[in-house]
Amino acid sequence: MLWQIVTDSSVDLKNIEGASPDVLFSTVPFSILVDGHEYIDTPDLDVSALVGAMEKSAQSRTSCPTPEAWREAFARADRTIAITISEKLSGSYNSAMAARAMVLEEHPDKQIAVINSRSTGPKVALMARRAVELLQKEPQTPFDEAVARIERCCESLHTVFSLSSFGNLVKNGRLSRAAGFIAGKLGLRALGEGSEEGEIRLREKVRGEKCALSALCKAMLEAGFRGGEVVISHCLNEQLAQELAGRIRAIWENARVSILPTRGLCSYYAERDGLILAF
């Protein structure tokens, strides 16, 4: 029986290297509307063009995948585990749950689980990678056990980020207007984190990229990181992501760091030069 890991496009992965034919990986896209032009967050989306349009725009917003889009994805496999952006940040989780109910009504023999990542971007990527790895190594894992193991993985991961602009987070109600004003108007970078409930929480404000990298490493230490896998997502700022990766490796020799460019949705909210990392 075929396994499938499917996420919405909050994930900053376009594919998973080494995935076997028996474990599919796919994504369901968000859409981003900028001054009347719709950008579909598929793997071939020109993120640089999207960010450039955003920076000149008067109006923009995002739309989560429809139940029908999730339904089409669920139809492709016998056993599907879906991982969504935080339910506190988007309607994608509820959309996926509605699609699950529709598919199971028509095909009660299918097995479908929807997991709320309580985060976005690199954490969703880490969860998807670990899920594919599990199912390739242990394809006979019972469905409920596989879901439980991926949920435990979710609970063990942390997300922190450093952004230079909070404009879209504020405009779309993901962050308070006061926090956005402080970060944007004074030219500061701010450090934030994902709460256990999946909300965005501001930790502190720092001046300059060097201080931001130090603050991110400090946040990792305070969260109990002692080594292991780290994913850094960046919005058009690979140089800073590489510098952060170097600092992490210097502190934790057993850290396994990978760097991903943000896809459309995370680019929209992280904005130019933003960094998000999960560990």
Side-chain angles (χ1 to χ4, degrees), residues 56-273:
K56 299 173 184 176
S57 73
Q59 293 184 329
S60 63
R61 60 180 176 84
T62 63
S63 296
C64 71
T66 64
E68 183 57 33
W70 281 108
R71 182 180 182 174
E72 290 177 5
F74 293 162
R76 290 194 287 264
D78 305 307
R79 295 170 293 181
T80 298
I81 299 175
I83 306 170
T84 76
I85 188 173
S86 172
E87 184 183 10
K88 298 289 188 179
L89 302 178
S90 167
S92 185
Y93 174 82
N94 290 332
S95 185
M97 288 296 290
R100 176 183 181 273
M102 289 188 291
V103 172
L104 292 180
E105 184 175 357
E106 297 174 0
H107 305 283
D109 56 321
K110 285 185 178 291
Q111 294 177 296
I112 303 170
V114 181
I115 298 175
N116 171 16
S117 74
R118 304 196 293 278
S119 187
T120 188
K123 181 176 175 181
V124 182
L126 263 176
M127 290 176 64
R129 282 178 172 173
R130 291 187 182 179
V132 169
E133 181 181 4
L134 164 66
L135 298 175
Q136 288 188 156
K137 287 183 176 179
E138 304 176 42
Q140 301 306 315
T141 302
F143 185 80
D144 290 345
E145 180 182 334
V147 173
R149 289 171 70 172
I150 297 166
E151 288 177 334
R152 287 197 296 272
C153 167
C154 176
E155 293 170 1
S156 71
L157 297 173
H158 302 270
T159 303
V160 294
F161 59 86
S162 173
L163 309 182
S164 59
S165 172
F166 288 83
N168 287 336
L169 283 169
V170 171
K171 282 191 297 185
N172 290 272
R174 273 55 173 189
L175 196 66
S176 74
R177 187 166 298 277
F181 176 83
I182 291 169
K185 297 298 182 181
L186 300 182
L188 302 173
R189 287 191 73 96
L191 181 74
E193 63 188 355
S195 71
E196 291 183 3
E197 297 77 21
E199 296 176 314
I200 294 173
R201 185 162 55 199
L202 199 62
R203 281 176 58 102
E204 60 181 302
K205 296 172 287 294
V206 298
R207 191 172 299 278
E209 292 183 341
K210 303 296 184 185
C211 291
L213 297 185
S214 296
L216 287 170
C217 291
K218 179 183 176 184
M220 295 175 69
L221 185 64
E222 290 176 352
F225 183 69
R226 297 294 181 268
E229 195 170 4
V230 182
V231 176
I232 303 171
S233 295
H234 69 90
C235 182
L236 305 176
N237 198 357
E238 184 170 0
Q239 181 176 346
L240 191 63
Q242 292 284 2
E243 188 173 342
L244 176 59
R247 289 197 182 203
I248 292 170
R249 293 183 183 111
I251 299 170
W252 297 282
E253 293 183 358
N254 61 340
R256 304 185 303 279
V257 186
S258 58
I259 296 173
L260 300 171
T262 50
R263 287 181 55 170
L265 185 78
C266 284
S267 297
Y268 180 82
Y269 286 110
E271 301 190 52
R272 188 182 298 273
D273 294 337

